[in-house]
Amino acid sequence: MARQNIFGTVFGVDAGMMQIAVFPNLSKRRAGEIVDRIFNYYKNKDVRLVMPATEARQFRKEEFGLPCVERVHIDMALSIGGDGTLLGVCRRFREQGIPVCGINLGTLGFLADIEPRELESRLGKILVGDYVVEHRLLLSGYIRNELGEKFLGNAINDVVISKGGTARMLKLSLQVNDTHLMDYKADGVIVSSPTGSTAYSLSAGGPILNPTIRALLLTPICAHTFQMRPLVVSEDDEVRIKISATGDVIVTLDGQESFKIQPTDEVVVKKSKMTAQIVKFADKNYYDVLKAKMWS
């Protein structure tokens, strides 16, 4: 039976069949092995697997390749790689609200909830719906100047303002809502979601936040003052950062998209109306994962 999705594309999938998109990181050594295990596990089950055409050719799955996976109905996306791979897939499907489940081939892997040794058991839980979908806060980044406001994009982990390769130290003016808090000099500043508190913010000295905390985290990068410390504000606050610099200034979203901005621009970060949907399993406790990843 053919089913029609919200984009009007018709494709041959039984109405009761689950359709899963597989997104392997081509640079990961074990990605091919994981792809084969996924296809072998679901081979005789009521699941249809699809992949982007380029990745499908790379892993000899051409018959499952699609030129634009985003334009077909997807029930879930599987990312194969580290947290960066998962972030990219989440951003790819952010407007469709597709849950993303990560298979960890990276180092820490706070977001990717499946380790290779447990792959088949977790695929079985996905098949019977034995999982939860966490709705993680998304950050929206904007640029404001005399020409108006420009939307840069959404980030799951963080929006980072930093100096370019030839820039001197930045002069930053920090404002939350209508209150000007302080001016200071630094190499930059990280505006992070709770999900991103274990990413770049952590390496810059920021605290670890449980991802269920409804907050934004501001962490300076090499601040030249002891007055500017990491600051936690409400998720409903609007963070505004005015910049003064003589060289290049870069705004980066999740470490994956970068924008060169003018030294006099104002960067605005606030909660997005959308959320990232990340698949988690009930038998994995956040603090157990944190302990295993950080201190074991």
Side-chain angles (χ1 to χ4, degrees), residues 237-259:
D237 287 337
E238 180 180 271
V239 178
R240 299 168 57 184
I241 301 165
K242 290 184 178 180
I243 305 158
S244 178
T246 56
D248 294 339
V249 182
I250 305 295
V251 176
T252 306
L253 308 179
D254 283 342
Q256 297 180 347
E257 289 186 281
S258 294
F259 305 87

Side-chain angles (χ1 to χ4, degrees), residues 54-67:
T54 299
E55 286 85 342
R57 287 192 297 270
Q58 177 76 18
F59 295 104
R60 302 182 302 279
K61 308 290 184 187
E62 289 87 348
E63 66 271 30
F64 301 97
L66 296 175

Side-chain angles (χ1 to χ4, degrees), residues 92-280:
R92 192 167 183 163
F93 285 105
R94 60 186 177 271
E95 295 184 3
Q96 293 95 319
I98 304 300
V100 180
C101 183
I103 301 166
N104 183 36
L105 294 183
T107 50
L108 288 178
F110 280 101
L111 296 176
D113 219 35
I114 299 178
E115 298 296 331
R117 65 180 181 277
E118 57 188 7
L119 177 61
E120 284 75 14
S121 67
R122 299 301 183 187
L123 296 178
K125 287 181 178 292
I126 290 172
L127 187 62
V128 299
D130 186 12
Y131 58 86
V132 296
V133 178
E134 294 185 355
H135 295 259
R136 299 288 184 90
L137 180 148
L138 275 176
L139 304 173
S140 289
Y142 302 82
I143 293 298
R144 287 180 187 164
N145 53 34
E146 66 277 6
L147 300 177
E149 183 176 270
K150 178 183 178 182
F151 175 63
L152 297 180
N154 292 311
I156 301 171
N157 270 352
D158 46 45
V159 177
V160 178
I161 303 165
S162 59
K163 60 183 183 179
T166 59
R168 296 182 179 181
M169 190 183 307
L170 304 180
K171 296 179 181 179
L172 303 170
S173 177
L174 174 62
Q175 179 172 325
V176 178
N177 300 326
D178 295 324
T179 301
H180 173 258
L181 292 183
M182 69 177 303
D183 299 326
Y184 65 99
K185 295 180 180 180
D187 287 348
V189 63
I190 304 162
V191 183
S192 168
S193 70
T195 297
S197 69
T198 51
Y200 189 9
S201 173
L202 181 63
S203 67
I208 297 174
L209 301 183
N210 185 304
T212 62
I213 292 174
R214 308 180 72 84
L216 305 179
L217 172 60
L218 283 64
T219 306
I221 304 172
C222 298
H224 282 239
T225 174
F226 288 112
Q227 292 178 309
M228 181 55 192
R229 315 304 296 174
L231 175 65
V232 179
V233 301
S234 167
E235 69 169 359
D236 295 316
D237 287 337
E238 180 180 271
V239 178
R240 299 168 57 184
I241 301 165
K242 290 184 178 180
I243 305 158
S244 178
T246 56
D248 294 339
V249 182
I250 305 295
V251 176
T252 306
L253 308 179
D254 283 342
Q256 297 180 347
E257 289 186 281
S258 294
F259 305 87
K260 185 180 291 187
I261 65 172
Q262 297 301 311
T264 56
D265 284 343
E266 180 181 53
V267 179
V268 179
V269 183
K270 54 187 175 181
K271 179 179 70 174
S272 171
K273 295 179 180 179
M274 296 179 288
T275 61
Q277 300 190 32
I278 300 177
V279 172
K280 294 290 182 178

Side-chain angles (χ1 to χ4, degrees), residues 74-88:
I74 297 296
D75 296 293
M76 182 182 293
L78 293 177
S79 74
I80 304 172
D83 281 352
T85 307
L86 186 145
L87 290 174

